[in-house]
């Protein structure tokens, strides 16, 4: 079975540019979350989407935005890139948003973004 | 605010030398505690979910335990292929609609042959 897929694998941009990262969840999963992981740190929460609606937003500036499509895939957009945006961007999917017990989030391989 | 602290930051073991990794947390109502393994340049790989104090889960050489304030990941007779960064994360009963994971910085485990 295919896991979470992300594209592209690597990306190099210059300051001020805009970037779009893509994520396809595990088949049957309806919730997608985005995380930023800077080298040497744990992942930091950016967004969570369920059924195409934003259900949570982390402490990131408005330059970061996202959306979820009817097929549950998702895009993360970052405008006006800064050097500090260089990181591994991770997408995670889970099958349900609300349950008696929490549902595990499964991560994709990530997109490595380098801002020069 | 939810917080997760992992120790040690780095751990070197000889093959077969058992040890434990620690994850201390503060959260406003724990919904779940997660352990992930992450290899360099790759996404985290799910290992365990623990829900309540006293719960234990095992997988091959790994065993995770949970108390009200911390979790331990015990590694028995590790092999070089167990070398990776181990991440701990918590999910809180926020009462709202945000079920984000809050991660620690991880423990970098190196197992020498």
């Amino acid at each position: 079975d295919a896991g979470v897929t992300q594209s592209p694998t690597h990306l190099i941009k210059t300051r001020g540019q805009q970037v779009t990262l893509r994520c396809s969840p595990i088949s049957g999963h309806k919730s997608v979350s985005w995380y930023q992981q800077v080298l040497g740190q744990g992942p930091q929460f950016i967004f969570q989407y369920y059924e195409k609606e934003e259900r949570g937003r982390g402490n990131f500036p408005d330059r970061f935005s996202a959306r979820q499509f009817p097929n549950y895939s998702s895009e993360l957009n970052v405008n006006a890139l800064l050097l500090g945006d260089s990181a591994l961007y991770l997408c995670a999917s889970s099958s349900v948003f609300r349950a008696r017990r929490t549902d595990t989030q499964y991560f994709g391989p990530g997109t490595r973004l380098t801002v020069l | 605010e939810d917080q997760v602290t992992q120790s040690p930051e780095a751990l070197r073991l000889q093959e077969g030398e058992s040890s434990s990794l620690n994850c201390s947390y503060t959260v406003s109502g724990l919904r779940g505690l997660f352990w992930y393994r992450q290899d360099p340049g790759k996404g985290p790989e799910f290992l365990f979910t623990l829900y309540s104090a006293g719960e234990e889960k095992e997988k091959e050489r790994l065993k995770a335990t949970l108390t009200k304030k911390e979790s331990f990941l015990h590694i028995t007779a590790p092999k070089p292929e167990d070398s990776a960064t181990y991440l701990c994360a918590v999910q809180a009963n926020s009462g709202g609609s945000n079920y984000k994971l809050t991660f620690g910085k991880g423990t970098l485990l190196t197992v020498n042959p």
Side-chain angles (χ1 to χ4, degrees):
Chain A
D1 289 342
V4 178
T5 59
Q6 293 186 243
S7 64
T9 304
H10 296 89
L11 207 51
I12 298 176
K13 293 284 187 179
T14 57
R15 282 177 296 175
Q17 285 188 312
Q18 175 264 340
V19 67
T20 298
L21 311 180
R22 295 176 176 83
C23 170
S24 292
I26 292 171
S27 178
H29 284 194
K30 298 182 178 181
S31 179
V32 168
S33 299
W34 287 94
Y35 293 82
Q36 180 196 65
Q37 187 175 26
V38 175
L39 200 62
Q41 302 292 317
Q44 282 218 307
F45 173 75
I46 310 175
F47 286 110
Q48 185 169 53
Y49 277 79
Y50 178 70
E51 293 281 13
K52 295 166 286 181
E53 289 187 12
E54 182 183 305
R55 296 304 184 101
R57 171 186 284 257
N59 189 23
F60 281 82
D62 292 343
R63 298 184 297 107
F64 289 76
S65 63
R67 55 179 175 168
Q68 188 177 31
F69 298 99
N71 66 352
Y72 305 111
S73 68
S74 177
E75 286 183 351
L76 175 70
N77 296 286
V78 187
N79 293 322
L81 285 167
L82 303 174
L83 295 179
D85 294 331
S86 295
L88 181 67
Y89 288 84
L90 296 163
C91 173
S93 77
S94 58
S95 61
V96 295
F97 186 73
R98 294 175 187 269
R100 279 192 302 122
R101 276 196 160 179
T102 188
D103 203 50
T104 297
Q105 293 186 24
Y106 296 92
F107 285 83
T111 293
R112 171 69 62 188
L113 173 64
T114 301
V115 181
L116 302 177
Chain B
E1 189 169 320
D2 305 334
Q3 284 192 329
V4 177
T5 303
Q6 293 188 245
S7 61
E9 290 185 6
L11 180 64
R12 285 186 175 272
L13 300 174
Q14 289 298 122
E15 185 172 3
E17 179 187 2
S18 301
S19 188
S20 296
L21 313 182
N22 177 262
C23 170
S24 297
Y25 65 91
T26 55
V27 64
S28 54
L30 181 69
R31 195 162 186 255
L33 184 140
F34 301 80
W35 283 98
Y36 290 87
R37 168 196 169 123
Q38 187 174 30
D39 292 308
K42 297 190 176 181
E45 175 190 344
F46 170 71
L47 294 174
F48 303 109
T49 307
L50 301 168
Y51 297 103
S52 55
E55 190 172 0
E56 299 182 352
K57 289 195 176 172
E58 286 188 68
K59 178 181 178 180
E60 297 181 355
R61 295 177 292 282
L62 300 176
K63 179 181 176 180
T65 62
L66 181 65
T67 72
K68 288 186 177 180
K69 292 184 178 180
E70 57 190 352
S71 176
F72 291 94
L73 185 64
H74 307 277
I75 303 176
T76 303
K79 299 181 178 181
E81 52 261 44
D82 294 323
S83 297
T85 295
Y86 290 86
L87 294 167
C88 173
V90 296
Q91 191 178 66
N93 276 319
S94 62
S97 59
N98 183 350
Y99 293 116
K100 67 175 183 178
L101 294 178
T102 300
F103 283 86
K105 293 182 179 181
T107 293
L108 175 60
L109 174 66
T110 304
V111 182
N112 297 313

